[in-house]
Amino acid sequence: GAGVSQTPSNKVTEKGKYVELRCDPISGHTALYWYRQSLGQGPEFLIYFQGTGAADDSGLPNDRFFAVRPEGSVSTLKIQRTERGDSAVYLCASSSDYLGEQYFGPGTRLTVT
Amino acid sequence: EDKVVQSPLSLVVHEGDTVTLNCSYEVTNFRSLLWYKQEKKAPTFLFMLTSSGIEKKSGRLSSILDKKELSSILNITATQTGDSAIYLCAVGRRSGGSNYKLTFGKGTLLTVNP
């Protein structure tokens, strides 16, 4: 079946602009995760959804970052007033249940100029 | 704060060699340890380990968890150039209810030369 998909694959934006990154999880997966990966580092947890609600948003770096999952499927990560330090690959993952391994999408490479 | 340390950070071998990658962790409410292979952007799932001493195997790859030593190893035998990638170790712990979040190490960059 189809894996996790993310759009866009690349996004270049100017400092101060607003961006939205989209994640479409594997069909039927109830848990959805967002991670951020900088060069030379492992992915870093941002937020996790169980269904429609954010069960843990402790990894969001500040209030410029926000994510939603209104119907319990597709999720959007929103970044306001982007800064150059936000440049990274944003990865989305989904899993089927509390024991399930997380399957990752191809990521969105965000570049803030 | 949860911590995952991988070693070595990079490794260069010749085709046919056997390699062992290491992962050690410090995490509260440990639930599982996972290994991923990352070639371009998306980490690809390899193994999930929850019990100590039970080896998981897939082809030339195998992994085992030692909960007493808080560590895991990933072995790759008869390496091929297609094994060249970053290998990520992650530890899962309970978070916000029934599911859990992962803390990743920095990864080991494996290069297999022909």
Side-chain angles (χ1 to χ4, degrees):
Chain A
V4 178
S5 62
Q6 292 186 246
T7 55
S9 55
N10 286 285
K11 175 74 178 175
V12 181
T13 191
E14 290 179 351
K15 180 174 176 302
K17 299 287 189 187
Y18 167 83
V19 296
E20 289 189 353
L21 312 179
R22 177 189 165 110
C23 171
D24 206 333
I26 293 171
S27 178
H29 279 191
T30 56
L32 184 148
Y33 305 79
W34 283 100
Y35 293 85
R36 177 167 73 173
Q37 188 173 25
S38 302
L39 197 61
Q41 304 293 320
E44 180 186 21
F45 171 80
L46 295 177
I47 186 170
Y48 141 57
F49 288 89
Q50 180 61 40
T52 59
D56 185 341
D57 65 357
S58 61
L60 294 178
N62 51 59
D63 60 7
R64 296 187 297 105
F65 288 74
F66 188 71
V68 295
R69 194 186 185 200
E71 296 176 359
S73 178
V74 170
S75 175
T76 305
L77 178 66
K78 309 180 181 199
I79 310 174
Q80 298 177 318
R81 305 183 304 279
T82 51
E83 299 177 357
R84 292 196 181 90
D86 298 335
S87 296
V89 175
Y90 288 81
L91 293 164
C92 174
S94 68
S95 69
S96 60
D97 56 41
Y98 81 102
L99 281 180
E101 55 268 24
Q102 295 180 23
Y103 293 93
F104 283 81
T108 294
R109 183 178 299 280
L110 175 67
T111 303
V112 182
T113 62
Chain B
E1 187 179 322
D2 298 343
K3 196 173 170 185
V4 178
V5 177
Q6 293 187 244
S7 63
L9 288 181
S10 66
L11 189 56
V12 180
V13 300
H14 290 291
E15 258 190 326
D17 287 350
T18 292
V19 298
T20 298
L21 310 183
N22 301 285
C23 176
S24 63
Y25 61 89
E26 292 174 25
V27 63
T28 52
N29 298 320
F30 172 88
R31 189 68 185 89
S32 58
L33 186 143
L34 295 87
W35 285 97
Y36 287 86
K37 178 183 181 183
Q38 187 172 31
E39 290 176 89
K40 288 186 180 173
K41 278 200 264 184
T44 304
F45 172 78
L46 295 175
F47 298 111
M48 184 168 76
L49 306 158
T50 55
S51 300
S52 229
I54 298 174
E55 185 183 54
K56 289 219 172 175
K57 212 168 156 59
S58 176
R60 297 176 293 103
L61 277 68
S62 63
S63 183
I64 196 161
L65 174 66
D66 186 338
K67 282 187 177 179
K68 190 174 171 188
E69 296 296 325
L70 306 182
S71 66
S72 174
I73 59 170
L74 175 69
N75 281 318
I76 309 175
T77 59
T79 51
Q80 302 171 357
T81 55
D83 295 328
S84 296
I86 296 171
Y87 289 84
L88 293 166
C89 172
V91 175
R93 69 169 172 90
R94 285 296 181 89
S95 162
S98 61
N99 228 306
Y100 61 95
K101 67 183 183 186
L102 300 179
T103 299
F104 282 84
K106 291 187 177 183
T108 293
L109 174 61
L110 175 65
T111 304
V112 182
N113 289 326

